[in-house]
Amino acid sequence: MSFGKLYSFIPNARSIGILAAAKDNKLDLELVETKPSDGVSTDYQKLNKLGRVPTFVGTDNYVLTECLAIAVYVTSQNEKTTLLGKTKQDYASILRWMSFGNSEVLPQIANWFRPLTGQDPYNKKNVETSQKSANQALKVLEDHLMINTFLVGERITLADLMVAGFVSRGFENVLDKKWRQDNPSTTRWYETIVNQPIYNAVIPEAKFCAEALKNQPPTQPKKEAKKEQPKPKAKEPEDEEDEPAPAPKAKHPLEALGRPSFAIDDWKRKFKNEETREVALPWFWENVNFEEYSIWRVDYKYNDELTMTFMSANLVGGFYARLEASRKYLQGCMSVYGKTNDSVISGAWLVRGQEAIPAFDVAPDWESYEFTKLDPKKSEDKTFFEDQMAWDKNIEVGGKTVSAF
């Protein structure tokens, strides 16, 4: 008898443990392949307003989003399951490790390898920062597993299945042979979990990289040269009844400012490929023309509504994507600072012209942010801009100092 449907795809890191738990409980859980990167339907967005995966829909039409909630719900269908531990303390510890893996480990691993595979924009400094943060989180696992066979108790639990899924893409892309030698306890634990029959039923063979992806822009596939097509013959004059030519594409309002003497693409290349504080920023201050450009502080207005840091990071990523139409006219860094249930979103931007709105109003959610113009002649404004570009210092928001997660 069907238990329901799980909208996701293999090998989505947040879905592997759910599918393994369903296999262990002998539940008929149908996997409906859904890849947000390929776009999702309007009907799916009614189930999951953010268009993310996984999403569970039961045969009774019960809808549930967020992987940890789905994992616990699926596992708890078997009252005799051992995957949720024996005691209330076991259960709390299982939730603790799943939450840690989902909010502290997985996002940092993803931010480490995704820019190196072309899935996210590449920035050398950001990759370095994510690598450091990922290894700090993984060190917590290594220390715990040095004296424990499993994450909770003396047998496999839902925490092991979920966290193994969370780190799986890391072992495929960046946790290479040398890393595994330096972290034998985590490696031993991971190899144990991925070789369990219930895990094998979802991922038959786990992948391990021999050498980590290098911190460099991903190689773009070469495009085949197009063969020259014969020139079309001149068109005969058309009858008056023919349809009129389509209206020209609307121009971006900032095009009216003309071509600036400072090429923002030169700054973007310098920022991406050089050390930020040592090379890129000194070059920026020396070359930028503030008659043509302005700098801005951008703060999210509803920080009190932010919960999980990975969700806040997704919100920032969506904001970047929706600014694509203004890509030629701005450059900036937005960051999530703080920790789960106590975080803020803040950033700094270089914008063509002296007003922010013409560049930002291409994003439907621009009104969710507060824009404050910075004065490059003021040391505190210049320092804020540099700290945001370098992404290596704490900031002060609302009277409290917060650090990047």
Side-chain angles (χ1 to χ4, degrees), residues 40-55 63-66 311 322:
V40 295
S41 67
T42 302
D43 287 340
Y44 182 73
Q45 286 188 310
K46 292 178 182 178
L47 300 175
N48 189 316
K49 296 187 183 299
L50 294 178
R52 308 288 184 187
V53 293
T55 298
V63 179
L64 192 59
T65 60
E66 301 303 322
M311 294 174 67
R322 290 183 284 275

Side-chain angles (χ1 to χ4, degrees), residues 157-318:
T157 66
L158 182 60
D160 298 296
L161 296 175
M162 292 297 290
V163 177
F166 295 154
V167 300
S168 60
R169 301 301 299 279
F171 279 97
E172 289 180 26
N173 294 284
V174 289
L175 305 182
D176 58 11
K177 185 176 181 180
K178 183 181 184 307
W179 188 95
R180 297 194 293 272
Q181 289 174 343
D182 293 340
N183 296 270
S185 300
T186 302
T187 302
R188 180 267 310 157
W189 163 82
Y190 182 70
E191 290 177 342
T192 299
I193 303 306
V194 300
N195 285 297
Q196 296 295 313
I198 56 174
Y199 196 97
N200 285 154
V202 181
I203 304 294
E205 185 176 356
K207 297 178 182 179
F208 295 84
C209 64
E211 185 177 350
L213 294 173
K214 290 182 171 58
N215 188 357
Q216 60 188 25
T219 303
Q220 298 294 331
K222 293 183 179 180
K223 295 182 179 179
E224 293 184 7
K226 293 184 178 179
K227 295 182 180 179
E228 289 189 9
Q229 299 293 329
K231 294 182 179 180
K233 294 181 180 179
K235 293 182 73 174
E236 297 290 333
E238 297 181 349
D239 294 335
E240 291 182 1
E241 290 80 11
D242 286 343
E243 293 183 4
K249 187 177 179 181
K251 293 184 177 181
H252 195 289
L254 291 178
E255 283 192 32
L257 296 179
R259 186 171 182 175
S261 61
F262 176 77
I264 195 170
D265 284 343
D266 290 345
W267 159 237
K268 290 180 180 180
R269 281 189 290 271
K270 186 71 66 172
F271 176 72
K272 287 183 178 180
N273 298 317
E274 303 284 357
E275 292 297 329
T276 306
R277 289 195 183 275
E278 294 83 349
V279 179
L281 283 169
W283 181 92
F284 172 80
W285 296 118
E286 182 178 346
N287 290 276
V288 66
N289 184 347
F290 283 112
E291 292 183 359
E292 301 171 336
Y293 289 88
S294 53
I295 53 176
W296 295 80
R297 173 172 180 155
V298 180
D299 295 288
Y300 189 59
K301 292 180 179 178
Y302 309 109
N303 290 316
D304 57 336
E305 297 179 4
L306 300 177
T307 54
M308 306 298 287
T309 51
F310 80 89
M311 294 174 67
S312 302
N314 289 340
L315 189 151
V316 172

Side-chain angles (χ1 to χ4, degrees), residues 83-96:
L83 292 179
L84 295 177
K86 295 180 180 180
T87 67
K88 291 180 179 179
Q89 289 184 348
D90 284 349
Y91 180 64
S93 296
I94 290 168
L95 293 179
R96 172 253 180 139

Side-chain angles (χ1 to χ4, degrees), residues 343-357:
S343 62
V344 298
I345 295 173
S346 184
W349 291 80
L350 173 71
V351 179
R352 180 75 171 97
Q354 301 304 315
E355 299 295 330
I357 305 308

Side-chain angles (χ1 to χ4, degrees), residues 102-117:
N102 189 45
S103 61
E104 304 298 338
V105 179
L106 176 57
Q108 301 302 341
I109 288 179
N111 291 338
W112 178 2
F113 81 82
R114 284 175 63 90
L116 307 180
T117 58

